[in-house]
């Protein structure tokens, strides 16, 4: 793996486990009264957000700050970008400012990879179009392992708009690498045409899959997909693919419910399910900070890139 | 000016001499001698009739930053072309006699090759009402090919009318086959790679559905139909069927669709972004076989220059299109000749005779025999060249073959007896 984190598929099993183990260590400082480590002191992390995403941005911001990095938030709205500045010129500007790490959220699939040719620092994909969101997958894997004790052989069902979901793509890749068994459940309109080549199972019916599920991950479904005829109505979607109390009851006792947020309560997930003890949605948010700390630490912390290298450098 | 070409293999035949006088081929045969003739030693070279491109974007008027008629036709001559069809999607659109005459005149002034303007089918390429096709046909530019290329004439009634109307002046409608609703926001071929990369798919059926519809329409009204840049194996099957019925349907394929595949998109480098998109290896195989068989009639470049800023960007924001004129013949050699699918006579047919016939291009697309216009190109099939955008005559550098070694190069091009390219250099 190179010095960037663009795709969950770029992570080897060892890379991924190193991130999760590092996150577990770093999580311990979240419980301290002073939640700060000096590791990235003097390093600059730029949060380059071309798409609004307060939750992801503040998660990365908190992660970088807990590692003592200097954080610059660059939002496309009201900036030079809205005046027509190209991605390249924005990148060259950041480069000139000496960014050691660039966390990028972009509406265009592939933009983080394209960015790597113009900046010398590490590029971390914080969600690109309908492509990938690798730190989300890492925090999801972290949460599953924390709740259920393992990832190998875990049966994970991902439900919803797979076609447009960067969360689904990253999760399928990472969970496959980590030995989990993934099943995608969606109306056929919301699956890519060649999804059969992905390393997972496909089903169109949720009820049949739930009893054989350890983890169910509900994806956000945007209501505007209705107008493009992906499904007839929000109610029909909810009836066929929404997770309500009855469906929760069909899952094994130990099974957990995940959602990357933001949720459409009453659409893909019923409020009582979202708020149930089996929901990990709040845990996911907290774990997100630890996992992003681990990623920043491993990519920026050493004299050479730590992930994929022979050894870890720097001290926790 | 008299030229004597010594020892050239006309369309790959046994070496012979060719004497050129007054813009015509005066004589062919061994041991020709001519006093005062400029002698060109063509040992090892192939002579082909001047290539005719049915599909070129010269960008002028409007996007002179990317290409001009002068630079685009220089690229054409260097690629062995003696005639190109300039597509109508300029700014303003070539939808009036005035614009097509301007493009035609700019071509004549540059003098690198003949420019045959293509007229838009609909006003402003908007797909709403017919442009004044008759005025463009009767203009100095004598337009015979009409196309909304870049946009599909998707309105079925409008397409029917266009097909019927151009019969009055022996025109042909060249359809950019792309069902618009199936390709909203489309970024690349819909398949395994698009699903993984999270890029909106451009499904093969969006091309095939329009081709099938238009073949039926052309048959119904008894008109000529030409399909631009065919890119899928399914399209080949529909064309095979339409031709088996005896309908007047012709088709072209681009060099890049004969060589490149959609897995190149994996790095999100917009140099590979093109419309129709790069397809799969199975499609490439089908297209090569169809060209060999004659189901696809012609190679056309779809030469589409774009400025650096339109390509040096995130994939979805980048412009669609790639250069093609200067590399077309070498790509055809690699994909069709070196693979044994087509001989040089076949290349002459697919890159000169048939495109000239489809476009009704007078003075081009004739076998190199005494009496024919001396518009020809001399090609060295054993001179590998590594493509460097900096060495291209095009004003833009968006070639997908950068760094790739192609097997041959154009040595000389003559337009009616006058060298436009000599020793690989523009004259």
């Amino acid at each position: 793996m190179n010095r960037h984190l663009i795709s969950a598929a770029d992570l080897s099993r060892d890379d991924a486990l190193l991130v999760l183990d590092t996150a577990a260590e770093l999580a311990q400082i979240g419980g301290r009264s002073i939640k700060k480590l000096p590791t990235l002191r003097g390093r600059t992390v730029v949060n380059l957000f071309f798409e609004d995403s307060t939750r992801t941005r503040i998660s990365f911001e908190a992660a970088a700050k807990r590692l003592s990095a200097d954080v610059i938030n660059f939002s496309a709205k009201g900036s030079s970008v809205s005046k027509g500045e190209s991605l390249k010129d924005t990148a060259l500007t950041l480069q000139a400012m000496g960014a050691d790490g660039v966390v990028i959220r972009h509406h265009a699939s592939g933009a983080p990879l394209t960015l790597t040719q113009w900046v010398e620092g590490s590029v971390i994909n914080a969600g690109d179009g309908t492509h990938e969101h690798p730190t989300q997958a890492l925090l999801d894997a972290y949460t599953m392992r924390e709740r259920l004790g393992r990832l190998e052989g875990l049966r994970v069902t991902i439900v919803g708009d797979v076609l447009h979901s960067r969360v689904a793509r990253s999760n399928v890749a990472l969970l496959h690498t980590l030995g989990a068994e993934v099943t995608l459940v969606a109306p056929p309109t919301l699956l890519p045409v060649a999804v059969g080549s992905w390393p997972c199972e496909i089903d169109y019916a949720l009820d049949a899959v739930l009893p054989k599920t350890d983890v169910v991950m509900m994806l956000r479904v945007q209501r505007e997909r209705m107008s493009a005829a992906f499904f007839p109505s929000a109610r029909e979607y909810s009836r066929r693919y929404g997770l309500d109390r009855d469906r929760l009851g069909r899952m094994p006792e130990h099974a957990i419910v995940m959602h990357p947020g933001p949720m459409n309560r009453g659409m893909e997930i019923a409020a009582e399910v979202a708020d149930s003890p089996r929901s990990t949605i709040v845990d996911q948010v907290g774990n997100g900070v630890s996992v992003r700390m681990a990623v920043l630490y491993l990519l920026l912390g050493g004299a050479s890139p730590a992930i994929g290298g022979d050894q870890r450098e720097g001290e926790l | 000016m008299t030229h004597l070409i010594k020892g050239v293999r006309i369309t790959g035949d046994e070496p012979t001499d060719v004497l050129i006088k007054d813009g015509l081929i005066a004589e062919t045969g061994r041991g020709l001698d001519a006093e005062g003739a400029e002698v060109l030693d063509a040992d090892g070279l192939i002579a082909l009739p001047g290539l005719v491109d049915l599909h070129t974007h010269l960008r002028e008027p409007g996007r002179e930053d990317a290409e001009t008629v002068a630079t685009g036709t220089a690229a054409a001559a260097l690629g062995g072309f003696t005639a190109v069809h300039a597509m109508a999607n300029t700014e303003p659109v070539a939808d009036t006699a005035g614009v097509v005459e301007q493009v035609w005149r700019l071509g004549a002034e540059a003098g690198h090759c003949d420019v045959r303007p293509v007229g838009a089918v609909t006003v402003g390429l908007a797909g709403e009402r017919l442009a004044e096709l008759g005025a463009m046909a009767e203009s100095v530019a004598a337009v015979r090919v009409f196309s909304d290329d870049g946009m599909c004439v998707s309105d079925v009634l409008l397409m029917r009318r266009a097909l019927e109307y151009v019969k009055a002046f022996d025109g042909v409608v060249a359809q950019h086959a792309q069902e618009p609703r199936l390709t909203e926001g489309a970024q690349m071929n819909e398949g395994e790679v698009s699903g993984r990369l999270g890029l909106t798919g451009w499904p093969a059926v969006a091309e095939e559905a329009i081709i099938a519809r238009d073949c039926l329409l052309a048959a119904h009204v008894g008109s000529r139909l030409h399909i631009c840049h065919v890119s899928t194996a399914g399209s080949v099957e529909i064309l095979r069927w339409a031709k088996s019925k005896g309908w007047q349907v012709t088709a072209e394929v681009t060099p890049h669709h004969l060589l490149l595949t959609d897995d190149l998109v994996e790095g999100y480098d917009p140099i590979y972004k093109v419309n129709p998109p790069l397809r799969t290896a199975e499609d490439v195989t089908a297209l090569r076989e169809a060209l060999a068989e004659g189901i696809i009639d012609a190679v056309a470049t779809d030469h589409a220059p774009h400025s650096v800023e339109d390509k040096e960007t995130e994939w979805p924001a980048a412009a669609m299109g790639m250069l093609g004129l200067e590399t077309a013949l070498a790509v055809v050699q690699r994909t069709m000749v070196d693979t044994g699918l087509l001989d040089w006579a076949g290349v002459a047919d697919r890159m000169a005779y048939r495109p000239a016939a489809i476009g009704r291009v007078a003075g081009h697309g004739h076998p190199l025999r005494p009496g024919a216009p001396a518009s020809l190109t001399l090609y060295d099939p054993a001179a590998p060249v590594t493509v460097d955008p900096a060495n291209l005559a095009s004003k833009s550098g968006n070639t997908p073959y950068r760094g790739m070694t192609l097997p041959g190069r154009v040595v000389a091009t003559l337009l009616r007896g006058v060298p436009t390219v000599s020793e690989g250099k523009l004259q």
Side-chain angles (χ1 to χ4, degrees), chain A residues 88 109-110 130-131 169 193 197, chain B residues 190 192 195 197-198 268 312 314:
Chain A
K88 181 180 180 179
S109 297
T130 54
H131 177 223
R169 279 175 184 74
V193 289
S197 65
Chain B
E190 182 167 277
E192 193 271 324
L197 296 185
Y268 294 96
E312 207 171 54
E314 61 272 27

Side-chain angles (χ1 to χ4, degrees), chain B residues 147-185:
Chain B
S147 181
D148 274 3
D149 181 61
M151 309 291 286
C152 180
V153 182
S154 61
D155 182 316
V156 64
L157 182 64
L158 204 56
M159 186 61 183
R160 173 197 167 141
R161 297 284 188 249
L163 285 166
E164 286 179 301
Y165 193 78
V166 300
K167 283 204 283 189
F169 31 86
D170 198 21
V172 63
V173 176
Q175 176 71 294
H176 171 117
Q178 176 179 3
E179 209 297 310
R181 284 281 281 158
L182 282 174
T183 52
E184 283 173 12

Side-chain angles (χ1 to χ4, degrees), chain B residues 336-390:
Chain B
M336 301 299 297
V337 180
D338 292 352
T339 53
L341 287 166
L342 212 56
D343 57 17
W344 289 106
V347 173
D349 183 63
R350 308 299 196 270
M351 297 187 77
Y353 307 152
R354 290 217 218 178
I358 291 165
R360 303 292 195 249
V361 188
H364 291 269
H366 300 288
L368 298 177
R369 291 191 200 119
S375 295
L376 56 94
T377 189
L378 303 180
Y379 181 74
D380 186 347
V385 178
T386 301
V387 179
D388 179 354

